[in-house]
Amino acid sequence: MRFSNTLIPTLRDDPARTDVASQRLLLRAGFLRQLNAGIFTWLPLGFRVLQKVEAIVREEMQRINAQEILMPFVQPAELWQESGRWEQMGAELLRIQDRHERDFCLSPTHEEIVTDLFRNNVRSYRELPCTYFHMHTKFRDEIRPRFGLMRAREFIMKDAYSFHLEESTLDKTYWDMYEAYSRILDRIGLDYRSVEADNGLIGGSSSHEFQVLAEAGEDVLAFSDSSDYAANIERAEARPPATRPEAQESMEKVHTPNAKTIESVADLLGLDATRCVKTLIVQGQESLVALILRGDHDLNELKAEKLPGIRTPFQFADPNDIENSLNCSIGSIGPVGLEIPYYVDRDAAALADFVCGANEDNYHYTGANWERDAHLQDIVDIRNVVEGDLEPNGTGRLLLKRGIEVGHIFKLGRKYSESMRVAIQDQEGATIAPAMGCYGFGVTRTVAAVIEQCHDEAGILWPESIAPAKVHLISVGADRSPEVGEAADKLYQLLQELNVEVLYDDRAERPGVKFADADLIGIPHRVVIGSRTLKEGVLEYRFQRNETEKISESELKNRVSASSIH
Ligand code: ATP
Ligand code: MG
């Protein structure tokens, strides 16, 4: 690849309106261009990286006997109506019409299509279990496309789907996928963790996410400091608190003018937020429902959404509705005498002598106690864990870190096979709906995740596994001394004959420009040919940001071939 005839539009300055390093560097180093919010064109260097990620993913899918297919991007509404998702999916599903005014959508995922394919073509138990995968474009009209490739609207996913007669083979395929994802991320060279994930409203069976650790990640992960426990904060649990102490105080109503938040109430009363409870009001299926937490804890909406009687999708109540039905404003609500159903988080339920709203504007109770002053029935876990919490089944403490979700594996059960009436004959000739698994891997998001982990001030630092080329060859002063150009051309030729991928910067640019571009682009092995080193009979060589060395051509061959080829 000669720089002079490859589209590598590097930018001298940081582009405007970028929020993460991967987005900034992909644009600056000339790998990517944005066409529209969350929609991108991959330029030659970027496309090479993408193809390398795809190749690794493909090999690992083939290793576990998944069959590669290619399913359509434009999908008829009928299939989505059958599964019920045409109605359930909100604006993330981009709907279009053809010339006959028939409804279609741009595919955000392929469960419906693969289930339809399966039911029309597979009839017998003998063909099961089976796994199909494809690597293709998805479109999700994300409410806030941002962070470049990390939350795009159009992106590439590898998605795989498996079909099973028995749970045992679903379990095996699930763990094969788990291993395959681990191998993919190990081969790329990422620092990642697999964590227990929320199953959505399907519930029941397992789900794991593969999270690349990075500050720019949108997800928060909880890890134990002393065991393997790791979960997305959406799902993470802490050990339940110890039993509640005895009541010591009597309940008193106190005036708390304008104290509408836990912080202001705690300040006013000279107490810690951990001694207060907060009462949040949400939409229930029949009435408003209150959720009561310890003052310093945050509500976990996904946990709350799964409770009986809570409306899905989860929604906080409208402040006007609250005032109308409870006769006081949000900051003054509490469990004492509360006339709507409520759930109490386990840690709030373990408090004695606590502070809570008095259901009257500008008043709170101090010294309130469960049972004596307020009913305590539905004790649940509805909070986000915090750092320092005890892990669920051990003595370790939880730590929190940020991650980028690059993969998600999921046991679907029979959700689609039942709603779409898939029938397979088992050994006895009875027809049953197969169990399914689905396994997504964000190919384009992974490229961004790599950069989030592998960059410095000057630019990207590609791991060799997916670098756009192995060697970045730079000629310096070839315009002034033709022998430099000849020597560089010759080395370029030689490396190509050795099947080493090279980006050859043969441009008539100043050395400073070429070096700055090389730093930005981040190809691991850099070789410079200039008239001085040429006279000395050596090459100037540098691996990533290590010290520059002078080495011979044969030593270069060693360095390049010694580096791992996956
Ligand atoms: P998220 O919670 O980040 O929206 P998701 O749960 O919607 O992800 P899945 O439906 O499980 O994601 O999709 C599988 C994989 O596709 C994700 O693990 C991620 O790597 C990738 N992915 C999902 N949404 C996007 C997006 N908007 N941009 C880029 N990649 C995405
Ligand atoms: Mg999503």
Side-chain angles (χ1 to χ4, degrees):
M1 202 173 8
R2 282 177 184 265
F3 208 129
S4 60
N5 58 19
T6 309
L7 180 61
I8 310 174
T10 56
L11 307 173
R12 197 168 310 161
D13 300 307
D14 280 342
R17 293 189 298 280
T18 55
D19 18 47
V20 287
S22 54
Q23 182 185 22
R24 173 169 57 79
L25 289 169
L26 283 164
L27 294 171
R28 243 191 102 177
F31 283 63
L32 197 73
R33 284 296 176 260
Q34 179 164 322
L35 177 68
N36 198 276
I39 303 179
F40 301 92
T41 299
W42 291 78
L43 306 187
L45 290 183
F47 191 49
R48 280 183 165 233
V49 172
L50 184 62
Q51 285 176 308
K52 291 192 178 176
V53 175
E54 286 183 348
I56 293 174
V57 173
R58 179 171 287 115
E59 274 177 33
E60 295 304 335
M61 287 299 107
Q62 287 166 347
R63 196 198 292 270
I64 59 168
N65 297 321
Q67 309 165 49
E68 187 164 13
I69 58 176
L70 181 58
M71 292 180 274
F73 180 52
V74 176
Q75 309 184 347
E78 287 76 22
L79 289 178
W80 288 77
Q81 282 154 351
E82 242 188 283
S83 73
R85 288 209 285 187
W86 188 259
E87 279 74 35
Q88 278 162 23
M89 298 265 293
E92 231 176 72
L93 186 68
L94 186 65
R95 298 155 212 252
I96 52 174
Q97 285 196 328
D98 71 2
R99 65 169 79 207
H100 307 294
E101 296 183 359
R102 285 190 289 243
D103 289 324
F104 287 83
C105 64
L106 298 188
S107 177
T109 177
H110 281 75
E111 281 84 4
E112 280 78 1
I113 309 307
V114 80
T115 306
D116 181 62
L117 175 81
F118 182 88
R119 72 176 167 190
N120 293 334
N121 296 283
V122 180
R123 296 260 176 268
S124 157
Y125 68 91
R126 285 188 207 89
E127 293 168 74
L128 267 61
C130 56
T131 307
Y132 309 107
F133 79 99
H134 82 163
M135 249 184 289
H136 197 222
T137 304
K138 298 279 182 279
F139 194 95
R140 295 182 182 179
D141 204 354
E142 297 276 357
I143 187 160
R144 276 216 287 160
R146 58 197 162 139
F147 306 147
L149 295 177
M150 293 199 319
R151 188 156 296 284
R153 294 200 294 170
E154 187 178 301
F155 58 96
I156 296 174
M157 196 200 289
K158 182 286 300 173
D159 39 331
Y161 305 89
S162 65
F163 295 86
H164 310 266
L165 221 48
E166 313 90 4
E167 298 298 325
S168 59
T169 64
L170 171 57
D171 208 53
K172 175 166 189 315
T173 303
Y174 183 87
W175 291 109
D176 282 351
M177 276 292 168
Y178 185 99
E179 294 301 324
Y181 279 29
S182 305
R183 272 195 302 270
I184 291 167
L185 297 171
D186 284 336
R187 284 180 60 179
I188 293 174
L190 282 163
D191 183 13
Y192 69 95
R193 288 291 294 267
S194 62
V195 302
E196 289 177 16
D198 182 68
N199 303 339
L201 294 168
I202 302 172
S205 31
S206 332
S207 160
H208 281 87
E209 287 167 355
F210 288 76
Q211 295 273 358
V212 171
L213 302 181
E215 270 310 304
E218 288 185 271
D219 288 19
V220 178
L221 317 171
F223 301 97
S224 162
D225 61 6
S226 56
S227 78
D228 287 342
Y229 182 76
N232 192 311
I233 196 163
E234 291 177 344
R235 134 136 201 178
E237 284 178 35
R239 206 145 104 204
T243 48
R244 188 172 64 244
E246 291 289 314
Q248 303 286 335
E249 301 174 12
S250 52
M251 188 168 79
E252 274 179 47
K253 195 192 239 181
V254 293
H255 191 210
T256 49
N258 296 323
K260 294 200 186 307
T261 61
I262 289 292
E263 292 72 41
S264 53
V265 173
D267 269 3
L268 189 76
L269 300 174
L271 288 170
D272 207 73
T274 54
R275 299 281 314 282
C276 305
V277 302
K278 64 177 162 198
T279 305
L280 306 169
I281 310 294
V282 304
Q283 298 282 3
Q285 276 154 8
E286 271 140 35
S287 64
L288 298 182
V289 175
L291 304 175
I292 298 174
L293 293 118
R294 205 173 77 184
D296 59 321
H297 285 152
D298 285 332
L299 176 70
N300 181 315
E301 294 181 14
L302 282 169
K303 290 181 184 175
E305 192 180 41
K306 290 183 190 142
L307 296 173
I310 303 288
R311 193 182 296 174
T312 49
F314 178 88
Q315 229 184 337
F316 282 104
D318 181 81
N320 292 327
D321 290 349
I322 296 176
E323 295 232 25
N324 289 341
S325 61
L326 300 178
N327 293 320
C328 72
S329 57
I330 295 181
S332 305
I333 305 170
V336 180
L338 188 62
E339 284 174 352
I340 55 173
Y342 58 84
Y343 286 103
V344 183
D345 183 69
R346 299 178 310 188
D347 289 84
L351 290 179
D353 304 325
F354 57 85
V355 173
C356 61
N359 298 317
E360 182 180 337
D361 280 349
N362 301 321
Y363 285 93
H364 280 78
Y365 288 120
T366 60
N369 278 280
W370 295 114
E371 318 280 10
R372 188 190 72 187
D373 307 317
H375 290 303
L376 186 59
Q377 296 160 20
D378 297 309
I379 304 176
V380 290
D381 172 23
I382 44 170
R383 72 169 174 97
N384 281 334
V385 297
V386 293
E387 209 152 58
D389 275 339
L390 285 169
E391 67 172 289
N393 305 313
T395 49
R397 299 260 167 202
L398 295 180
L399 302 168
L400 300 184
K401 281 191 185 159
R402 298 197 79 87
I404 303 168
E405 178 202 319
V406 293
H408 193 174
I409 59 174
F410 208 99
K411 288 186 187 171
L412 285 171
R414 296 184 164 74
K415 177 179 157 74
Y416 295 93
S417 56
E418 278 173 359
S419 62
M420 296 182 66
R421 298 207 179 81
V422 186
I424 281 288
Q425 291 214 325
D426 70 9
Q427 288 91 326
E428 276 80 48
T431 53
I432 62 160
M436 290 173 63
C438 77
Y439 318 92
F441 187 89
V443 176
T444 45
R445 189 184 274 183
T446 296
V447 173
V450 169
I451 300 174
E452 292 300 331
Q453 270 190 1
C454 311
H455 72 273
D456 66 7
E457 288 291 293
I460 306 171
L461 285 155
W462 291 108
E464 297 206 37
S465 55
I466 61 163
K470 194 161 227 179
V471 174
H472 193 133
L473 172 61
I474 299 172
S475 62
V476 165
D479 45 344
R480 274 171 282 118
S481 42
E483 59 276 20
V484 167
E486 280 160 27
D489 282 352
K490 227 173 98 206
L491 184 59
Y492 177 52
Q493 206 63 45
L494 176 81
L495 289 169
Q496 283 182 304
E497 280 158 18
L498 295 172
N499 273 330
V500 175
E501 285 177 306
V502 188
L503 173 63
Y504 173 21
D505 193 346
D506 56 342
R507 295 174 301 170
E509 286 285 358
R510 283 182 293 114
V513 171
K514 292 187 170 191
F515 293 146
D517 279 349
D519 283 346
L520 258 179
I521 290 168
I523 290 170
H525 302 265
R526 183 186 308 184
V527 180
V528 181
I529 296 189
S531 54
R532 191 147 31 92
T533 44
L534 194 60
K535 277 196 203 103
E536 289 174 41
V538 291
L539 299 166
E540 205 178 289
Y541 169 84
R542 186 179 177 194
F543 180 73
Q544 290 187 336
R545 306 291 197 250
N546 293 356
E547 290 291 304
T548 302
E549 303 169 63
K550 287 179 178 170
I551 62 171
S552 65
E553 193 176 282
S554 63
E555 178 59 16
L556 174 68
K557 285 192 226 163
N558 291 339
R559 301 278 176 108
V560 171
S561 60
S563 63
S564 51
I565 299 171
H566 292 271

